[in-house]
Amino acid sequence: MTDFKHVTKKIRRTDGELIVTGRAQYTVDIELPGMLYAKILRSPYPHARIKDIKTEKAEEIEGVKMVVKGRDIGYRRFSFIDTPAYPADETPLAVEKVRFIGEGVAAVAAVTEKIAIKALALIEVEYEELPAVFDPEEALQDGAPAIHEAIEPNTTTAWEDFGVPRKSRPYRVVNNISNKTLIEYGDAEKAFKEADYIREDRFVIPATSHVAMEPHVAVASYQPTGKLDVWLTHMGYEHKRFWLAKLLDIPISRVRVHKTYVGGAFGGKISFFPYEFIAAYLSKLTLRPVKITLSRDEVFSVCPPSRRMIITVKTGVKREGRITAQHVKVIDDVGAYRSSSPTAMYLAHVFRNPIYDIPNVRHEAYGVYTNKLSTLAKRGHGLPQMSFAIESHLDMICEGLGLDRVEMRLKNFRKKGDILPNGDTLRSYALPECLKQAVEKIGWKEKYGRKKFRGLGIGTASMFSGGHNFPFASAAMVRLNHDGRVILYTGQTEFGNGVDTVMAQIVAEVLNCNIDDVIVHSGDSEVCPHDIGNWLSAGVFISGKAVMMAAIDLKEQMLTYAEEGLRTPTDHLEMVEGWIVSRSDKTKRVSFSDVSKYAIQKAGGDPLIGKGYSKCVPEVYFWKGEFNKMASLFSGKGRFTEAYGLAAATAEVEVNPETGEVKILEIVVADDCGTPINVTFVEGQILSQAVMGIGDVLFEEVAMKNGMVRNPNLLEYKIPTATDIPKIISIIVDSYEPRGPFGAKEVGETARAAVMAALANAICNAIGARLYTLPMTPDRVQQAILETERK
């Protein structure tokens, strides 16, 4: 690592005291004068037509200020993906029919939450039950109940609003298919014929919940002036205010998303949610602030969990272990609404592409509607599911051919400098080194196959560093104060990731000042410039680069004025802890504070504001009919990202053959995140993902029966506790990414998927049998052991 003052250091959080003393304000803490509290009436049926809703009794209750139904709001559709090919399919409240248990049909705003709940009980809804379908493979069959028939756009799509000059068109749903992806390169059919060994396996991965500490909350306050103020649990304000403005038909400049701390997200607070619109809509009707706080039961039952996938993998291999062909088929059980499925089905391929160099590929994927709650991204968005399937599959190939699991992977890894089939370049790539270090640290050669019911496993993963999605770029401003301190304005959102501290480190490194002299103002859409948000793993890579460029811009301006004041060329000057000093004569110096005063007095009042910006993929654009290298979610063609984070994990487990219980002995994660800005935060990201991966493999599943979530609370939905967490070793492999700020790139999503695959392979290695679904609970493990013994 280069010798930095602030970057690559273990600097503690600048806002740590606010958080641990309870002074940090979360959305759940917001209380405003005259506030109303709203609750949503939800459907008890998975599929039913709404024949009538009677609200008169609810409206008569003292303290009830407004009751709305789906037909009052109408077909104001929204979705995470809203393109001319895939127009939005969801409404804030069901209008004509409900499509999953828990879908909202009416909402009440009252002076207390207790009164609102009482009023919900008095709303009478007449339903006509319809046949339902819960299995995606059954939903694909001819004659299955049609969850959607045709989705008729009644306005422009989001991508038209962003500037794509393609008109929306109706989407005709056939066999409940919500979306398709088909990515092909090479000649897979020919390569399979020439392969020495072919294997095909099928894997089933259930949904898991995000389990953020803070529930989903929205506060909205609509003013008579036409301005809307909102406080949200979110991961990026641009996406939220776009949909609020569009659905309420108000200018986006009239929507202000205020800064609040967010108590965890993990992808579960990316999208726009019905309750957010309902809070704003009720506030507009009543001209009073409205707050909606979802209960933990509601979060589990109606907020989208991670994606449910059925993955079939077929791979052709030469005898020495070189992969020559692969055919992947994914069925994505999207639930009642499409949500982010087109993106996830594309990413399911893209996230594996930087890992293995496979010359002939066919990746086909289908989003399928079912009568269940929809699904969404969760720390990987298709990557964890694919890593589990592919890495399990590769282990079985190694077993079938008698290949060393480590050497086989190293033989098939890509190389630094490789250009991927879509045009992305691997400018930084340390995955081989990650695997070598993870294998060595866990003692692979010494331990593998030495003890019965002890197992070792490997997993790999990759993740982008921002993608070409709205708002496509980030900007930042750094302003010099009169006292010599600087204020950074960034749209980044703080949800436990320490982003304010990281951005302050970047500014302090550029200006060579104390980190305490950097004041961060983040997450306020009215004060801060546009920002990609802290999702798409774009936070440090895109927004951090914008912050770096803004600080450099300010630095250049300050040096120019210092040159005038000190009569010393700028290339002879340096910044040192709040001073600009001559390198050759240390007595010639001027403070940051005096530079500010100089600019005002001698340069016409120049406020000294640095501006910076960074685009996810600079060469990709669309403008008035021009398109350049845009990624296609269907074909996979076009540029996607500038850098990929990578990780390799190894795990050692011990299985009790009598009970099927798994004891994790050790996990090692080696992560190629470029150059770490804050080593402590990077280690925290790696460790937290490892813990999440433990939950994915051993415990977690959103259990459903006939469309109903059966474990909607933290008593029945088990997550890892302190007693379940083993020794976890994190290794940071610094590959230096030339396009990132100070060489940094993604670190927040790769390790989870790598750990999942490593643990699954370790368990199967220990018991000598393969499990094709998650979680690997004691009963499933024991059953696999018994079946192996019978054979």
Side-chain angles (χ1 to χ4, degrees):
M1 297 180 185
T2 305
D3 185 24
F4 293 113
K5 181 178 179 181
H6 300 288
V7 169
T8 73
K9 301 300 185 287
K10 293 188 173 186
I11 293 175
R12 69 178 187 175
R13 290 185 64 130
T14 56
D15 53 5
E17 290 184 10
L18 285 176
I19 295 169
V20 299
T21 59
R23 289 178 172 85
Q25 192 172 53
Y26 295 79
T27 306
V28 74
D29 299 322
I30 300 295
E31 294 291 334
L32 301 174
M35 181 175 282
L36 300 177
Y37 302 84
K39 297 299 288 184
I40 300 168
L41 182 67
R42 303 188 180 280
S43 167
Y45 300 108
H47 201 194
R49 201 174 311 282
I50 302 171
K51 299 187 71 175
D52 191 27
I53 301 179
K54 292 183 171 64
T55 62
E56 292 82 4
K57 291 180 182 178
E59 292 166 356
E60 291 171 359
I61 294 179
E62 184 177 352
V64 171
K65 299 301 179 182
M66 185 62 61
V67 181
V68 295
K69 308 183 292 291
R71 287 173 184 168
D72 299 326
I73 297 170
Y75 285 101
R76 307 186 195 207
R77 293 189 181 92
F78 65 93
S79 180
F80 185 87
I81 293 295
D82 181 25
T83 68
Y86 296 126
D89 56 1
E90 186 172 4
T91 55
L93 292 173
V95 181
E96 293 182 4
K97 72 172 185 175
V98 294
R99 295 177 172 87
F100 72 98
I101 293 173
E103 184 165 13
V105 295
V108 174
V111 295
T112 68
E113 192 174 87
K114 186 175 180 180
I115 293 174
I117 293 171
K118 181 180 178 182
L120 289 186
L122 297 177
I123 297 175
E124 300 172 9
V125 185
E126 183 182 354
Y127 294 100
E128 176 190 339
E129 286 192 69
L130 299 171
V133 61
F134 308 110
D135 183 283
E137 292 178 309
E138 291 179 11
L140 284 168
Q141 302 305 310
D142 291 338
I147 297 166
H148 296 267
E149 277 125 17
I151 299 162
E152 301 275 356
N154 55 12
T155 182
T156 55
T157 64
W159 277 82
E160 287 179 84
D161 297 336
F162 300 157
V164 173
R166 291 177 180 170
K167 297 298 180 184
S168 59
R169 53 189 183 271
Y171 181 77
R172 308 292 178 188
V173 182
V174 178
N175 293 111
N176 288 308
I177 295 174
S178 66
N179 50 278
K180 301 177 185 177
T181 295
L182 179 59
I183 299 172
E184 293 181 290
Y185 51 85
D187 189 338
E189 186 177 349
K190 180 183 177 184
F192 275 119
K193 290 178 181 178
E194 297 173 352
D196 296 325
Y197 179 88
I198 296 173
R199 184 178 180 96
E200 183 171 342
D201 296 294
R202 180 179 181 272
F203 303 89
V204 179
I205 302 95
T208 59
S209 183
H210 302 82
V211 199
M213 291 181 69
E214 184 185 20
H216 290 56
V217 190
V219 174
S221 181
Y222 189 87
Q223 307 297 327
T225 59
K227 182 183 178 185
L228 175 66
D229 291 285
V230 293
W231 296 258
L232 305 169
T233 48
H234 67 100
M235 299 173 66
Y237 56 63
E238 296 290 6
H239 187 71
K240 300 288 189 178
R241 71 183 189 131
F242 168 81
W243 280 110
L244 284 167
K246 184 175 179 69
L247 297 181
L248 290 168
D249 195 24
I250 59 177
I252 195 169
S253 58
R254 307 291 282 172
V255 179
R256 180 180 185 179
V257 180
H258 289 259
K259 176 190 172 70
T260 55
Y261 283 82
V262 179
F266 314 114
K269 293 170 182 174
I270 284 178
S271 195
F272 185 72
F273 296 100
Y275 72 89
E276 293 170 326
F277 171 82
I278 293 166
Y281 185 73
L282 288 170
S283 181
K284 186 177 181 182
L285 293 178
T286 60
L287 292 180
R288 291 176 63 171
V290 174
K291 184 175 188 177
I292 296 180
T293 304
L294 299 191
S295 66
R296 184 63 66 178
D297 185 294
E298 286 179 298
V299 173
F300 272 112
S301 299
V302 304
C303 291
S306 70
R307 312 212 72 83
R308 302 171 287 250
M309 291 187 186
I310 300 170
I311 301 173
T312 303
V313 188
K314 178 183 176 182
T315 301
V317 188
K318 291 296 185 181
R319 285 187 182 86
E320 74 277 8
R322 185 73 177 90
I323 302 172
T324 57
Q326 193 166 80
H327 179 189
V328 175
K329 181 179 179 181
V330 182
I331 295 177
D332 182 28
D333 180 356
V334 307
Y337 298 101
R338 184 188 300 119
S339 185
S340 60
S341 182
T343 300
M345 295 302 92
Y346 164 76
L347 296 180
H349 166 74
V350 167
F351 288 152
R352 300 302 301 174
N353 211 14
I355 298 175
Y356 298 112
D357 185 6
I358 306 174
N360 305 286
V361 168
R362 178 180 173 89
H363 172 91
E364 56 179 310
Y366 304 88
V368 183
Y369 289 120
T370 58
N371 290 116
K372 294 185 280 194
L373 75 161
S374 301
T375 56
L376 192 59
K378 180 185 174 183
R379 216 166 191 176
H381 207 185
L383 167 62
Q385 296 89 335
M386 286 297 294
S387 289
F388 165 65
I390 297 292
E391 296 291 322
S392 297
H393 178 69
L394 291 183
D395 258 29
M396 288 185 278
I397 289 174
C398 289
E399 187 173 341
L401 287 174
L403 299 171
D404 181 278
R405 287 157 167 77
V406 178
E407 294 303 320
M408 190 267 196
R409 286 172 169 85
L410 289 171
K411 184 175 294 184
N412 287 283
F413 280 164
R414 291 192 179 274
K415 297 177 178 60
K416 181 179 178 180
D418 277 4
I419 299 175
L420 304 184
N422 72 320
D424 290 347
T425 300
L426 300 178
R427 297 181 183 86
S428 58
Y429 191 81
L431 184 59
E433 182 62 26
C434 288
L435 180 56
K436 290 174 185 177
Q437 290 199 35
V439 164
E440 181 181 357
K441 194 69 178 178
I442 209 161
W444 185 277
K445 288 183 179 179
E446 297 81 9
K447 296 177 181 177
Y448 191 84
R450 300 296 173 87
K451 191 172 181 181
K452 194 173 183 181
F453 295 112
R454 281 256 183 124
L456 292 172
I458 292 171
T460 66
S462 78
M463 170 60 62
F464 58 177
S465 300
H468 193 69
N469 208 329
F470 178 77
F472 312 108
S474 292
M477 298 181 294
V478 182
R479 176 166 66 90
L480 180 63
N481 263 336
H482 305 312
D483 62 2
R485 293 178 174 85
V486 296
I487 302 178
L488 164 65
Y489 299 90
T490 171
Q492 281 286 282
T493 303
E494 175 56 64
F495 48 80
N497 45 3
V499 67
D500 285 6
T501 305
V502 168
M503 297 305 168
Q505 285 179 257
I506 291 171
V507 173
E509 191 66 52
V510 172
L511 301 180
N512 196 20
C513 64
N514 294 322
I515 195 168
D516 292 340
D517 290 338
V518 181
I519 301 159
V520 180
H521 195 111
S522 62
D524 187 326
S525 69
E526 194 160 277
V527 177
C528 304
H530 70 267
D531 190 89
I532 190 70
N534 221 324
W535 49 295
L536 300 169
S537 277
V540 169
F541 190 77
I542 305 300
S543 296
K545 185 65 175 289
V547 167
M548 179 178 171
M549 299 309 294
I552 290 172
D553 185 28
L554 176 63
K555 178 180 180 178
E556 291 173 350
Q557 295 178 51
M558 292 171 67
L559 289 174
T560 298
Y561 287 134
E563 179 182 49
E564 296 174 12
L566 296 175
R567 292 178 174 81
T568 303
T570 57
D571 59 356
H572 289 194
L573 298 173
E574 62 181 347
M575 290 181 164
V576 181
E577 295 185 357
W579 293 83
I580 299 178
V581 184
S582 168
R583 287 193 176 94
S584 59
D585 182 357
K586 301 302 182 184
T587 64
K588 294 179 70 173
R589 64 178 192 165
V590 61
S591 69
F592 283 12
S593 176
D594 283 341
V595 170
S596 171
K597 295 168 187 172
Y598 182 94
I600 291 172
Q601 298 299 329
K602 299 272 289 184
D606 188 344
L608 285 177
I609 299 174
K611 178 181 75 173
Y613 49 88
S614 179
K615 191 178 174 188
C616 292
V617 189
E619 65 184 299
V620 174
Y621 66 83
F622 52 85
W623 177 253
K624 294 186 176 180
E626 295 181 51
F627 297 88
N628 192 63
K629 299 186 179 181
M630 279 186 63
S632 165
L633 297 183
F634 175 76
S635 69
K637 296 176 182 177
R639 287 293 317 282
F640 177 54
T641 189
E642 288 289 274
Y644 291 89
L646 300 129
T650 51
E652 182 182 10
V653 305
E654 185 173 47
V655 177
N656 184 331
E658 303 300 321
T659 64
E661 290 179 295
V662 175
K663 180 181 180 181
I664 303 173
L665 303 177
E666 186 176 4
I667 294 172
V668 179
V669 183
D671 199 294
D672 168 15
C673 61
T675 302
I677 301 295
N678 189 307
V679 172
T680 299
F681 294 0
V682 168
E683 290 172 344
Q685 287 285 344
I686 294 171
L687 294 175
S688 67
Q689 290 178 78
V691 173
M692 189 173 277
I694 292 170
D696 291 315
V697 175
L698 297 185
F699 309 119
E700 297 186 49
E701 178 180 7
V702 177
M704 304 196 75
K705 185 175 182 180
N706 296 329
M708 177 178 285
V709 176
R710 308 299 296 177
N711 54 342
N713 55 70
L714 289 171
L715 286 176
E716 297 171 282
Y717 185 93
K718 182 168 172 50
I719 61 174
T721 64
T723 59
D724 300 308
I725 299 171
K727 178 182 178 182
I728 302 172
I729 298 173
S730 64
I731 302 170
I732 300 172
V733 181
D734 185 348
S735 65
Y736 185 80
E737 169 48 52
R739 299 292 174 94
F742 296 108
K745 58 181 179 178
E746 180 278 334
V747 73
E749 300 187 73
T750 41
R752 175 194 172 208
V755 169
M756 285 175 64
L759 283 173
N761 278 334
I763 293 167
C764 295
N765 175 241
I767 64 176
R770 182 58 54 175
L771 292 167
Y772 295 85
T773 191
L774 297 174
M776 296 184 177
T777 54
D779 57 330
R780 287 175 174 167
V781 172
Q782 190 177 36
Q783 182 65 30
I785 293 171
L786 292 173
E787 289 178 2
T788 301
E789 289 175 348
R790 290 193 197 104
K791 292 177 182 177

